Amino acid sequence: MAITLVNPADLPEIDVYRQVSVASGTRLVFVAGQVAWDADGATVGQGDLAAQVEQCYVNVGTALAAAGATFADVAKLNVHVVDWTPDKMPLLFEGIARAAARLGTTPAAPATLLGVAALDVPEHLVEVEATAFVD
């Protein structure tokens, strides 16, 4: 496996990601920010943050597969959420859990959560991008 995930003893353990990833692959895979579109370009889960998070992670999984990668190869995730407030965290976690169930894996790479004013279109509430290393 190209990625080793680590939680250093002197940093807090976070349920949905690890603090550090060590990459040893030979190919870099950059996945563009994925929004809650289905294969036809229709927005999934309008107004539903958990549903959109789920679709974004599933889309990242689809993009990774096209490059011969999986979430096990992901070194870093960036998550952008419109009008982020901490009270939205349970919906974010719910969406990640639902995506993990659909994907059969738990995305646990180091992640950065960024609150943003807007994304590409008003109906998109979240966007997820990934960087992976593949042997």
Side-chain angles (χ1 to χ4, degrees):
M1 189 177 328
I3 302 296
T4 302
L5 300 176
V6 180
N7 266 329
D10 292 337
L11 293 177
E13 278 196 37
I14 308 297
D15 290 339
V16 296
Y17 67 87
R18 303 302 171 265
Q19 295 285 2
V20 177
S21 66
V22 179
S24 60
T26 57
R27 291 188 304 129
L28 277 168
V29 177
F30 297 96
V31 176
Q34 297 297 303
V35 293
W37 279 330
D38 65 13
D40 296 322
T43 299
V44 172
Q46 278 193 312
D48 182 342
L49 180 60
Q52 289 202 14
V53 169
E54 176 183 4
Q55 187 64 43
C56 289
Y57 274 80
V58 168
N59 289 350
V60 168
T62 299
L64 289 167
T70 70
F71 272 99
D73 301 307
V74 173
K76 180 75 168 77
L77 292 165
N78 289 319
V79 180
H80 303 83
V81 183
V82 174
D83 296 327
W84 176 258
T85 56
D87 63 306
K88 295 179 182 177
M89 191 67 78
L91 294 171
L92 178 74
F93 287 170
E94 178 185 336
I96 293 170
R98 288 172 17 191
R102 282 178 62 186
L103 295 164
T105 187
T106 300
T112 298
L113 173 62
L114 300 166
V116 297
L119 292 170
D120 59 332
V121 295
E123 58 266 20
H124 290 156
L125 304 176
V126 63
E127 184 169 330
V128 180
E129 61 182 307
T131 303
F133 287 79
V134 182
D135 285 324

